[in-house]
Amino acid sequence: MYDYIRRFLIVMAIALSIGILFISTTVSFANANDTINEVNFIWPTVGHVTDTFGTRNGKHYGIDIAAPSGTPVVSVGAGVVTKSYYSSTYGDVIFIEHANGYETVYAHLHKRLVSEGAVVEQGEKIGLVGNTGRSSGDHLHFEVHDGNWAMSKKDAIDPILVLGENKDTFFVLSEEELEKERYQVASVSETINTEDTHENSNTIYLRVKKGDSLWSIAKSYQVTIEQLKSWNELSSDQIKIGQELKIGQSSQYIVQRGDTLWKIAEQTGTTVSNIKQMNGLKGDLIQVGTSLTVNK
């Protein structure tokens, strides 16, 4: 009889412990959701989300918002600038600590407009969209950390959770300015139809179609907007449907499917070692769409 009572009490104790753990976990998740729901951040810029949180094998700790160089970037909430400097990876970057415990990061800026220690209001312009640091096109890389930013980025959360779906809550602009920003960004095409391209020697020519922008074309061919403008003698970022754009020039080679460094070297009359040296390549791996310097 004693053993029966003892076993019964042990089972009840285990059940009670599991119940307490379940309730505690549920409350913890509920509190986390309540905290996220209470955040009233606005969007940091006007643009098109081209990469989301958790991509690149889980190593992308923010979102990428494509926009023309010089597009205003604002603080998503009131706070204090904890860092404002140039990084080899983030480029020109700003960190802002907010009273709700979050810290936000604004990277690859063309220009920083606030310094460390500055107190900023929600919607205050802090920088301009750019392409600095480890970046392949004009965009804002934006991160949110539940706590202070750490090198491991262990507390990074999906910015979409605190920004919400209303992308019109960016910042206060006049109607004229807002329409101008929307026109400049327009719709960004993520892929280029190869049927709209043709080759001449080492240069690719692209026929602009609806939805194309210099940013989307530059991203697809792994070149910069500045290179596209230089190759085509463009004075602005605006392009027209049906316009033919040159991608590359005599000293450039756009990597095509099936290419190798040896094949490119043979076609362009140079050597593999020269190509690797001019392009800073440490190995023999090359990606389709990459622009390589093949001669000077």
Coordinates of all heavy atoms in Angstrom, one line a residue, residues 191-249:
T191 N 14.6 39.2 -62.4 CA 15.3 38.4 -63.3 C 15.3 39.1 -64.7 O 14.5 39.8 -65.1 CB 14.7 37.0 -63.5 OG1 13.3 37.2 -63.9 CG2 14.7 36.3 -62.1
I192 N 16.3 38.8 -65.5 CA 16.5 39.3 -66.8 C 16.2 38.1 -67.8 O 16.8 37.1 -67.7 CB 17.9 39.8 -67.1 CG1 18.2 41.0 -66.0 CG2 18.1 40.3 -68.5 CD1 17.3 42.2 -66.2
N193 N 15.3 38.4 -68.8 CA 15.0 37.4 -69.8 C 16.1 37.3 -70.8 O 16.4 38.3 -71.5 CB 13.7 37.7 -70.5 CG 13.2 36.6 -71.4 OD1 14.0 35.8 -71.8 ND2 12.0 36.7 -71.8
T194 N 16.8 36.2 -70.9 CA 17.9 36.1 -71.8 C 17.5 36.3 -73.3 O 18.4 36.6 -74.1 CB 18.6 34.7 -71.7 OG1 17.7 33.7 -71.9 CG2 19.2 34.6 -70.3
E195 N 16.2 36.1 -73.6 CA 15.8 36.4 -75.0 C 15.9 37.9 -75.3 O 15.9 38.2 -76.5 CB 14.3 35.9 -75.1 CG 14.2 34.4 -75.0 CD 12.7 34.0 -75.1 OE1 11.9 34.8 -75.3 OE2 12.5 32.7 -75.0
D196 N 16.0 38.7 -74.3 CA 16.1 40.2 -74.6 C 17.5 40.6 -74.7 O 17.8 41.8 -74.7 CB 15.4 40.9 -73.5 CG 13.9 40.7 -73.4 OD1 13.3 40.5 -74.5 OD2 13.3 40.6 -72.3
T197 N 18.5 39.7 -74.8 CA 19.9 40.0 -74.8 C 20.5 39.5 -76.1 O 20.1 38.5 -76.6 CB 20.7 39.5 -73.6 OG1 20.7 38.1 -73.6 CG2 20.0 40.0 -72.3
H198 N 21.6 40.1 -76.5 CA 22.4 39.5 -77.5 C 23.9 39.9 -77.3 O 24.1 40.9 -76.6 CB 22.0 40.0 -78.9 CG 22.1 41.4 -79.2 ND1 21.2 42.4 -78.9 CD2 23.2 42.1 -79.8 CE1 21.6 43.6 -79.2 NE2 22.8 43.5 -79.8
E199 N 24.8 39.2 -77.9 CA 26.2 39.5 -77.6 C 26.9 40.0 -78.9 O 26.5 39.7 -80.0 CB 26.9 38.2 -77.2 CG 26.4 37.6 -75.9 CD 27.2 36.4 -75.5 OE1 28.4 36.4 -75.6 OE2 26.6 35.4 -75.0
N200 N 27.9 40.8 -78.6 CA 28.8 41.3 -79.7 C 30.2 41.3 -79.1 O 30.5 42.1 -78.2 CB 28.4 42.7 -80.1 CG 29.2 43.2 -81.2 OD1 30.1 42.5 -81.7 ND2 29.0 44.4 -81.7
S201 N 31.0 40.3 -79.5 CA 32.4 40.2 -78.9 C 32.2 39.8 -77.4 O 31.5 38.9 -77.1 CB 33.2 41.4 -79.1 OG 34.5 41.3 -78.6
N202 N 32.8 40.6 -76.5 CA 32.7 40.4 -75.1 C 31.7 41.2 -74.4 O 31.6 41.2 -73.2 CB 34.1 40.7 -74.5 CG 35.2 39.8 -75.0 OD1 34.9 38.7 -75.3 ND2 36.4 40.3 -75.0
T203 N 30.9 41.9 -75.2 CA 29.9 42.8 -74.6 C 28.5 42.3 -74.8 O 28.1 41.8 -75.9 CB 30.0 44.2 -75.3 OG1 31.3 44.7 -75.1 CG2 29.0 45.2 -74.6
I204 N 27.6 42.3 -73.8 CA 26.2 41.9 -73.9 C 25.4 43.2 -74.1 O 25.6 44.2 -73.4 CB 25.8 41.2 -72.6 CG1 26.5 39.8 -72.5 CG2 24.3 41.0 -72.5 CD1 26.1 39.0 -71.3
Y205 N 24.4 43.1 -74.9 CA 23.4 44.2 -75.1 C 22.1 43.7 -74.7 O 21.6 42.6 -75.0 CB 23.4 44.6 -76.6 CG 24.7 45.3 -77.0 CD1 25.8 44.6 -77.5 CD2 24.8 46.7 -77.0 CE1 26.9 45.2 -77.9 CE2 25.9 47.4 -77.3 CZ 27.0 46.6 -77.8 OH 28.2 47.2 -78.2
L206 N 21.4 44.5 -73.8 CA 20.1 44.2 -73.3 C 19.0 45.2 -73.8 O 19.3 46.4 -73.8 CB 20.2 44.2 -71.7 CG 18.9 44.2 -71.0 CD1 18.3 42.8 -71.1 CD2 19.0 44.6 -69.6
R207 N 17.9 44.6 -74.1 CA 16.7 45.5 -74.5 C 15.9 45.7 -73.3 O 15.4 44.7 -72.7 CB 15.9 44.8 -75.6 CG 14.8 45.6 -76.1 CD 15.3 46.7 -77.1 NE 16.0 46.2 -78.2 CZ 16.5 46.9 -79.2 NH1 16.5 48.3 -79.0 NH2 17.1 46.4 -80.2
V208 N 15.7 46.9 -72.8 CA 14.9 47.2 -71.6 C 13.5 46.8 -71.8 O 12.9 47.2 -72.8 CB 15.1 48.7 -71.2 CG1 14.2 49.0 -70.0 CG2 16.5 49.0 -71.0
K209 N 12.9 46.1 -70.8 CA 11.5 45.8 -70.9 C 10.8 46.4 -69.7 O 11.4 46.9 -68.8 CB 11.3 44.3 -70.9 CG 11.8 43.5 -69.7 CD 11.5 42.0 -69.8 CE 11.9 41.3 -68.5 NZ 13.3 41.4 -68.1
K210 N 9.4 46.3 -69.7 CA 8.6 46.8 -68.6 C 9.0 46.2 -67.3 O 9.1 45.0 -67.1 CB 7.1 46.6 -68.9 CG 6.2 47.2 -67.9 CD 4.7 47.0 -68.2 CE 3.8 47.6 -67.2 NZ 2.4 47.4 -67.5
G211 N 9.2 47.1 -66.3 CA 9.6 46.6 -64.9 C 11.1 46.6 -64.7 O 11.5 46.5 -63.5
D212 N 11.9 46.8 -65.7 CA 13.3 46.8 -65.5 C 13.7 48.2 -64.9 O 13.1 49.2 -65.1 CB 14.1 46.7 -66.9 CG 14.1 45.3 -67.3 OD1 13.9 44.4 -66.5 OD2 14.4 45.1 -68.5
S213 N 14.8 48.1 -64.1 CA 15.4 49.3 -63.6 C 16.9 49.1 -63.6 O 17.4 48.0 -63.8 CB 15.0 49.6 -62.1 OG 15.5 48.6 -61.3
L214 N 17.7 50.2 -63.5 CA 19.1 50.0 -63.5 C 19.6 49.1 -62.4 O 20.5 48.3 -62.5 CB 19.8 51.4 -63.4 CG 19.9 52.2 -64.7 CD1 20.7 53.5 -64.4 CD2 20.5 51.4 -65.8
W215 N 18.8 49.3 -61.2 CA 19.2 48.4 -60.0 C 19.0 47.0 -60.3 O 19.9 46.1 -60.0 CB 18.4 48.9 -58.8 CG 18.8 48.2 -57.6 CD1 19.7 48.7 -56.7 CD2 18.5 46.9 -57.1 NE1 19.9 47.8 -55.7 CE2 19.2 46.7 -55.9 CE3 17.6 45.9 -57.6 CZ2 19.0 45.5 -55.2 CZ3 17.5 44.8 -56.8 CH2 18.2 44.6 -55.6
S216 N 17.8 46.6 -60.9 CA 17.6 45.2 -61.2 C 18.5 44.6 -62.2 O 19.0 43.5 -62.1 CB 16.1 45.0 -61.6 OG 15.9 45.6 -62.9
I217 N 18.9 45.4 -63.2 CA 19.8 44.9 -64.3 C 21.2 44.8 -63.7 O 21.9 43.8 -63.9 CB 19.8 45.9 -65.5 CG1 18.5 45.9 -66.2 CG2 20.9 45.5 -66.4 CD1 18.3 47.0 -67.2
A218 N 21.6 45.7 -62.9 CA 22.9 45.7 -62.2 C 23.0 44.4 -61.3 O 24.0 43.7 -61.3 CB 23.2 46.9 -61.4
K219 N 21.9 44.2 -60.6 CA 21.9 43.0 -59.7 C 22.0 41.7 -60.5 O 22.8 40.8 -60.1 CB 20.7 43.0 -58.8 CG 20.6 41.9 -57.8 CD 19.4 41.9 -57.0 CE 19.3 40.7 -56.0 NZ 18.0 40.7 -55.2
S220 N 21.3 41.6 -61.6 CA 21.2 40.4 -62.3 C 22.6 40.1 -63.0 O 23.0 38.9 -63.1 CB 20.2 40.5 -63.4 OG 18.9 40.5 -62.9
Y221 N 23.3 41.1 -63.4 CA 24.6 40.9 -64.1 C 25.8 41.1 -63.1 O 27.0 41.1 -63.6 CB 24.7 41.8 -65.3 CG 23.8 41.2 -66.4 CD1 22.6 41.7 -66.6 CD2 24.3 40.2 -67.3 CE1 21.8 41.2 -67.7 CE2 23.5 39.7 -68.3 CZ 22.2 40.2 -68.5 OH 21.5 39.7 -69.5
Q222 N 25.5 41.4 -61.8 CA 26.6 41.5 -60.8 C 27.6 42.7 -61.2 O 28.8 42.5 -61.1 CB 27.4 40.2 -60.7 CG 26.6 39.1 -60.1 CD 26.2 39.3 -58.7 OE1 27.0 39.5 -57.8 NE2 24.9 39.4 -58.4
V223 N 27.0 43.8 -61.7 CA 27.8 45.0 -62.0 C 27.2 46.1 -61.1 O 26.2 45.9 -60.5 CB 27.7 45.3 -63.5 CG1 28.4 44.2 -64.3 CG2 26.3 45.6 -64.0
T224 N 27.7 47.3 -61.2 CA 27.2 48.4 -60.4 C 26.4 49.3 -61.4 O 26.6 49.3 -62.6 CB 28.3 49.2 -59.8 OG1 29.1 49.9 -60.8 CG2 29.2 48.3 -58.9
I225 N 25.6 50.1 -60.7 CA 24.8 51.1 -61.5 C 25.7 52.1 -62.2 O 25.5 52.6 -63.3 CB 23.8 51.8 -60.6 CG1 22.7 50.8 -60.2 CG2 23.2 53.0 -61.3 CD1 21.6 51.4 -59.2
E226 N 26.8 52.5 -61.4 CA 27.7 53.4 -62.0 C 28.4 52.9 -63.3 O 28.6 53.6 -64.2 CB 28.8 53.8 -60.9 CG 28.3 54.6 -59.8 CD 27.4 53.9 -58.9 OE1 27.4 52.7 -58.8 OE2 26.6 54.6 -58.2
Q227 N 28.7 51.6 -63.3 CA 29.3 51.0 -64.5 C 28.3 51.0 -65.6 O 28.6 51.4 -66.8 CB 29.7 49.5 -64.2 CG 30.9 49.4 -63.4 CD 31.2 47.9 -63.0 OE1 30.3 47.2 -62.6 NE2 32.5 47.5 -63.3
L228 N 27.0 50.7 -65.4 CA 26.0 50.7 -66.4 C 25.9 52.1 -67.0 O 25.8 52.3 -68.2 CB 24.6 50.3 -65.9 CG 24.5 48.8 -65.6 CD1 23.1 48.5 -64.9 CD2 24.6 48.0 -66.8
K229 N 25.9 53.1 -66.1 CA 25.7 54.5 -66.6 C 26.9 54.9 -67.4 O 26.8 55.6 -68.4 CB 25.5 55.4 -65.4 CG 24.2 55.2 -64.7 CD 24.1 56.0 -63.4 CE 23.9 57.5 -63.6 NZ 23.7 58.2 -62.3
S230 N 28.1 54.5 -67.0 CA 29.3 54.8 -67.7 C 29.4 54.2 -69.1 O 29.7 54.8 -70.1 CB 30.6 54.4 -66.9 OG 31.7 54.6 -67.6
W231 N 29.0 52.9 -69.1 CA 29.1 52.1 -70.4 C 28.0 52.7 -71.4 O 28.2 52.6 -72.6 CB 28.8 50.7 -70.2 CG 29.8 49.9 -69.4 CD1 31.1 50.3 -69.3 CD2 29.6 48.8 -68.5 NE1 31.8 49.4 -68.5 CE2 30.9 48.5 -68.0 CE3 28.5 48.0 -68.2 CZ2 31.1 47.4 -67.1 CZ3 28.7 47.0 -67.3 CH2 30.0 46.7 -66.8
N232 N 26.9 53.3 -70.9 CA 25.9 53.7 -71.8 C 25.7 55.3 -71.8 O 24.8 55.8 -72.4 CB 24.5 53.1 -71.3 CG 24.5 51.6 -71.5 OD1 24.3 51.1 -72.6 ND2 24.8 50.9 -70.5
E233 N 26.7 56.0 -71.2 CA 26.7 57.4 -71.1 C 25.4 58.0 -70.6 O 24.8 58.9 -71.2 CB 27.1 58.0 -72.5 CG 28.5 57.5 -73.0 CD 28.8 58.1 -74.4 OE1 27.9 58.7 -75.0 OE2 30.0 57.9 -74.8
L234 N 24.9 57.4 -69.5 CA 23.6 57.9 -68.9 C 23.9 58.9 -67.9 O 24.9 58.8 -67.1 CB 22.9 56.7 -68.3 CG 22.5 55.5 -69.2 CD1 21.9 54.4 -68.4 CD2 21.5 56.0 -70.3
S235 N 23.1 60.0 -67.9 CA 23.3 61.1 -66.9 C 22.4 60.9 -65.7 O 22.5 61.6 -64.7 CB 23.1 62.4 -67.6 OG 21.8 62.5 -68.1
S236 N 21.4 60.0 -65.8 CA 20.5 59.8 -64.7 C 20.2 58.3 -64.6 O 20.7 57.5 -65.4 CB 19.2 60.5 -64.9 OG 18.4 59.9 -65.9
D237 N 19.4 57.9 -63.6 CA 19.1 56.5 -63.4 C 17.9 56.0 -64.2 O 17.4 54.9 -64.1 CB 18.8 56.2 -61.9 CG 20.0 56.4 -61.0 OD1 21.1 56.4 -61.6 OD2 19.9 56.5 -59.8
Q238 N 17.3 56.9 -64.9 CA 16.0 56.6 -65.7 C 16.3 56.0 -67.0 O 17.2 56.4 -67.8 CB 15.2 57.9 -65.9 CG 14.7 58.5 -64.6 CD 13.8 59.7 -64.8 OE1 13.4 59.9 -65.9 NE2 13.6 60.5 -63.8
I239 N 15.6 54.9 -67.3 CA 15.8 54.2 -68.6 C 14.4 54.0 -69.2 O 13.4 54.1 -68.5 CB 16.5 52.8 -68.4 CG1 15.8 52.0 -67.3 CG2 17.9 53.0 -68.1 CD1 16.4 50.6 -67.1
K240 N 14.3 53.7 -70.5 CA 13.0 53.6 -71.2 C 12.8 52.2 -71.7 O 13.8 51.5 -72.1 CB 13.0 54.6 -72.4 CG 13.1 56.1 -71.9 CD 13.1 57.0 -73.2 CE 13.2 58.4 -72.8 NZ 13.2 59.3 -74.0
I241 N 11.6 51.8 -71.8 CA 11.2 50.5 -72.4 C 11.7 50.5 -73.8 O 11.4 51.4 -74.6 CB 9.7 50.2 -72.3 CG1 9.3 50.1 -70.8 CG2 9.3 49.0 -73.0 CD1 7.8 50.0 -70.6
G242 N 12.3 49.4 -74.3 CA 12.8 49.3 -75.6 C 14.2 49.8 -75.8 O 14.9 49.6 -76.9
Q243 N 14.8 50.6 -74.8 CA 16.1 51.1 -74.9 C 17.1 50.0 -74.9 O 17.0 49.0 -74.1 CB 16.4 52.1 -73.8 CG 17.7 52.7 -73.7 CD 17.9 53.7 -72.6 OE1 16.9 53.9 -71.8 NE2 19.0 54.2 -72.4
E244 N 18.2 50.0 -75.7 CA 19.2 49.0 -75.7 C 20.4 49.5 -74.8 O 20.9 50.6 -74.9 CB 19.7 48.8 -77.1 CG 20.7 47.6 -77.2 CD 21.1 47.2 -78.6 OE1 21.9 48.0 -79.2 OE2 20.6 46.2 -79.1
L245 N 20.7 48.6 -73.8 CA 21.8 49.0 -72.9 C 23.0 48.0 -73.1 O 22.8 46.8 -73.4 CB 21.3 48.8 -71.5 CG 20.3 49.8 -70.9 CD1 20.0 49.5 -69.5 CD2 20.8 51.2 -71.1
K246 N 24.2 48.6 -73.1 CA 25.4 47.8 -73.2 C 25.8 47.4 -71.8 O 25.9 48.2 -70.9 CB 26.5 48.7 -73.8 CG 27.8 48.0 -74.0 CD 28.8 48.7 -74.9 CE 29.2 50.0 -74.3 NZ 30.2 50.7 -75.2
I247 N 26.1 46.1 -71.6 CA 26.6 45.6 -70.3 C 28.0 45.1 -70.5 O 28.2 44.0 -71.1 CB 25.6 44.5 -69.8 CG1 24.2 45.0 -69.8 CG2 26.1 44.0 -68.5 CD1 23.2 44.0 -69.4
G248 N 28.9 45.9 -70.1 CA 30.3 45.6 -70.3 C 31.0 46.4 -71.4 O 30.3 47.2 -72.1
Q249 N 32.2 46.3 -71.5 CA 33.0 47.0 -72.5 C 34.2 46.2 -72.9 O 34.3 45.1 -72.5 CB 33.4 48.4 -72.0 CG 34.2 48.4 -70.8 CD 34.4 49.8 -70.2 OE1 33.7 50.7 -70.4 NE2 35.5 49.9 -69.4

